[in-house]
Amino acid sequence: MAPPRDHAPLAERVEELLAAGGPLPLVAAGQPVLRRGTEPYEGQLGPALLARFVEALRVTMHAAPGVGLAAPQVGVALRIAVVEDPAPVTEEVAVVRGRVPQPFRVLVNPVYEPVGTARAAFFEGCLSVPGWQAVVARHAEVRLRGEDERGRALDEVVTGWPARIVQHETDHLDGTLYLDRAELRSLSTNEAVAALWAQPEPRAAAEALGFELP
């Protein structure tokens, strides 16, 4: 399917994407839409179209699979993202990384700010940078503000792995990829991470590959 036309109104672009049905095509790094930032959602799609778009984002996230997906990753420059994490990890990993199940939710016009100075560093990947992971040091705790898909205000403190997901997806809406924040010496294929760096923390990777942890 051809990418949405840049000059088309956002609603038309979304209609074009949804017309094919099923999971939406993902946009990979190198496409300008991932770097331009997004415009705030102010009703451009209307309630019915927004609901269809959110459902398509959910289906696409599940199919990938991933734990978050931002609108620019399907070529739509709107400040909307979805997140959901069943957290299918061992108890040890869950404890070390602060990874707990997160229900499906929609973030509309989200912003975050750090709470405190603590940072946590773990391997991280991205559906728009397939096949690779790198260690990213992120705020361990953030304050998330924005709205949900019904316009209800969000204002909450998020910690652990959920905070990482919030930061990753909100960064997408600002034209930032996780690689912009990564320790590039840690850059590894998915296969290398599985074979060498599957430990709950990336300390062995830091020592072997030569990078610092916070």
Side-chain angles (χ1 to χ4, degrees), residues 151-187:
R152 297 176 297 199
L154 301 175
D155 189 344
E156 61 193 72
V157 173
V158 189
T159 63
W161 204 261
R164 179 169 297 269
I165 296 172
V166 162
Q167 291 170 80
H168 182 115
E169 300 307 329
T170 304
D171 280 357
H172 269 303
L173 305 179
D174 294 326
T176 298
L177 295 178
Y178 86 99
L179 290 175
D180 300 330
R181 302 190 186 280
E183 289 286 351
L184 291 184
R185 291 184 68 93
S186 72
L187 187 65

Side-chain angles (χ1 to χ4, degrees), residues 136-158:
V136 184
R138 292 194 182 272
H139 305 296
E141 190 171 23
V142 297
R143 180 183 181 187
L144 168 66
R145 289 179 292 172
E147 302 173 344
D148 67 10
E149 70 276 27
R150 295 181 176 85
R152 297 176 297 199
L154 301 175
D155 189 344
E156 61 193 72
V157 173
V158 189

Side-chain angles (χ1 to χ4, degrees), residues 31-53:
Q31 294 295 323
V33 69
L34 292 175
R35 293 305 202 173
R36 289 177 181 157
T38 53
E39 62 180 77
Y41 179 72
E42 297 174 340
Q44 293 93 327
L45 304 186
L49 183 55
L50 175 62
R52 290 171 54 209
F53 182 53

Side-chain angles (χ1 to χ4, degrees), residues 34-212:
L34 292 175
R35 293 305 202 173
R36 289 177 181 157
T38 53
E39 62 180 77
Y41 179 72
E42 297 174 340
Q44 293 93 327
L45 304 186
L49 183 55
L50 175 62
R52 290 171 54 209
F53 182 53
V54 164
E55 175 61 14
L57 290 175
R58 185 188 69 83
V59 168
T60 304
M61 176 178 63
H62 287 174
V67 296
L69 187 67
Q73 293 181 274
V74 297
V76 177
L78 272 178
R79 201 168 184 84
I80 296 173
V82 297
V83 300
E84 182 179 8
D85 183 14
V89 295
T90 66
E91 182 177 355
E92 181 186 13
V93 169
V95 170
V96 171
R97 300 180 184 175
R99 189 168 179 181
V100 293
Q102 295 295 297
F104 177 77
R105 65 189 306 191
V106 184
L107 307 180
V108 177
N109 299 329
V111 295
Y112 69 82
E113 60 187 37
V115 175
T117 60
R119 296 173 70 81
F122 296 105
F123 274 100
E124 191 172 313
C126 179
L127 298 179
S128 291
V129 189
W132 297 89
Q133 297 182 48
V135 172
V136 184
R138 292 194 182 272
H139 305 296
E141 190 171 23
V142 297
R143 180 183 181 187
L144 168 66
R145 289 179 292 172
E147 302 173 344
D148 67 10
E149 70 276 27
R150 295 181 176 85
R152 297 176 297 199
L154 301 175
D155 189 344
E156 61 193 72
V157 173
V158 189
T159 63
W161 204 261
R164 179 169 297 269
I165 296 172
V166 162
Q167 291 170 80
H168 182 115
E169 300 307 329
T170 304
D171 280 357
H172 269 303
L173 305 179
D174 294 326
T176 298
L177 295 178
Y178 86 99
L179 290 175
D180 300 330
R181 302 190 186 280
E183 289 286 351
L184 291 184
R185 291 184 68 93
S186 72
L187 187 65
S188 306
T189 63
N190 288 344
E191 292 78 10
V193 172
L196 301 172
W197 316 128
Q199 303 90 351
E201 293 181 290
R203 296 191 183 280
E207 181 177 349
L209 301 178
F211 61 91
E212 298 289 330

